[in-house]
């Protein structure tokens, strides 16, 4: 996974319950990262790691956007 420090987009705010927020904050602290950096890393690992696990050759290719087995068209 290539490291890309340049922020290219801002996601819309997301509402989460307190238990999830606390868990994410603990995990971020344990990894010595800011919460936003930790969430970005988790999303990146999920998207690109998950794409490999379902056999997608190019996770950034537009034709592979819905490769999860439960994705709806």
């Amino acid at each position: 996974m290539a490291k890309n420090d340049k922020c290219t987009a801002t996601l819309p705010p997301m509402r989460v319950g307190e238990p999830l927020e606390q868990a994410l904050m603990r995990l971020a602290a344990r990894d010595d990262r800011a919460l936003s950096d930790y969430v970005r890393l988790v999303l990146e690992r999920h998207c690109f790691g998950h794409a490999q696990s379902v056999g997608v050759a190019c996770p950034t290719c537009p034709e592979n956007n819905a490769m999860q087995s439960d994705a709806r068209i």
Side-chain angles (χ1 to χ4, degrees):
M1 176 177 353
K3 183 168 170 103
N4 184 2
D5 289 332
K6 183 177 180 182
C7 182
T8 56
T10 301
L11 296 177
M14 179 173 64
R15 297 177 67 91
V16 298
E18 189 174 342
L20 178 57
E21 179 189 23
Q22 293 298 317
L24 288 168
M25 289 172 60
R26 282 193 301 271
L27 290 167
R30 192 177 302 161
D31 209 25
D32 197 28
R33 295 178 182 273
L35 180 58
S36 60
D37 185 43
Y38 182 77
V39 170
R40 182 201 50 80
L41 179 67
V42 168
L43 290 171
E44 196 172 78
R45 285 181 179 165
H46 176 75
C47 289
F48 300 131
H50 181 67
Q52 288 179 345
S53 74
V54 293
V56 177
C58 175
T60 58
C61 298
E63 65 271 13
N64 296 323
N65 284 343
M67 289 301 294
Q68 290 101 347
S69 61
D70 64 339
R72 305 273 188 257
I73 296 177

